[in-house]
Amino acid sequence: MEYQVTSNALAGRVILVTGAGAGIGRQAALSYAEKGATVILLGRTVKKLEAVYDEIDAMGAPQPAIIPLDMLGATRQHYMDMADTIEQQFGRLDGVLHNAGLLGVLSPFDQIDEKSHDDVMQVNVKATMLMTQALLPLLKKSDDARIVFTTSTVGHQGRAYWGSYAISKFATEGMMQVLADEMSDTKVRVNAINPGGTRTSMRASAFPGEDPQTLKTPLDIMPLYIYLMAPEGINEHGQCIDAQPKR
Ligand code: NDP
């Protein structure tokens, strides 16, 4: 991968990672900490977040923090309170990786279940928007802030049976583009990553017959995740970037 950064590229930076307890988010939290960032671990399963906390602690990286939050039920007020807590505890925020996501139920379009659709849209789109709104004032105070959304190949080319998940990822790409345009004259850089097929439990749910050993691991795709948070990635803005070559 061509995304090169220095070994301590994220030193002094405070970065929030959503869905930090498992899969790609877990690895991003570890990789950001390894590059010197103070990482705020947000997720719905405290045990998983604590395990990541312990791994970061054992690395000797800056002490992380945990925010237990279920994005399915969280309201605007939760995100406002969260922004206040981050400001009080760290005095700053330099990056947000919007990684948490729900796959929902894959089904023919005419069988999309309304409840499942609402849940997927709530976590993948609305909660992500509300969180971004609440954190923007803090991010704008940073000299060099980054917001990274997570999309999917089905977020720019629809595919049969991917229903609500694909619809939510199209919305995510739209949100990224709208926000990037609005942030053009600020110090906030906004982009989206398409991880591509990656060895996680979400991928296994979507492709149960696939051999996971044929897939890139979360660690394999980290160069782009680090680059978009590092000084080296400052010129990327409004882009949707693939973390690995198309399969
Ligand atoms: P995983 O299912 O392995 O991890 C998803 C993470 O999101 C988990 O930590 C999960 O928490 C968290 N999460 C889910 N719902 C909520 C919620 N309501 N509140 C808070 N946290 C929540 O998925 P991946 O690591 O594979 O996916 C990460 C991102 O990458 C997603 O946005 C996904 O759409 C995207 N992506 C993944 C691809 C792949 O091949 N893996 C391909 C394309 C895109 P918990 O562990 O507690 O359930």
Side-chain angles (χ1 to χ4, degrees), residues 157-171:
Q157 177 63 56
R159 194 186 300 158
Y161 314 124
W162 281 76
S164 306
Y165 180 79
I167 295 167
S168 77
K169 294 300 187 181
F170 267 82

Side-chain angles (χ1 to χ4, degrees), residues 150-157 162 165 169 173 193-196 240:
T150 306
T151 183
S152 161
T153 304
V154 296
H156 34 267
Q157 177 63 56
W162 281 76
Y165 180 79
K169 294 300 187 181
E173 291 197 15
I193 292 178
N194 172 18
C240 174

Side-chain angles (χ1 to χ4, degrees), residues 19 24 44-45 48 70-71 99 150-151 165 169 198 200-201:
I24 295 168
R44 63 181 170 181
T45 311
K48 291 184 187 177
D70 186 343
M71 293 167 61
N99 161 84
T150 306
T151 183
Y165 180 79
K169 294 300 187 181
T198 307
T200 67
S201 59

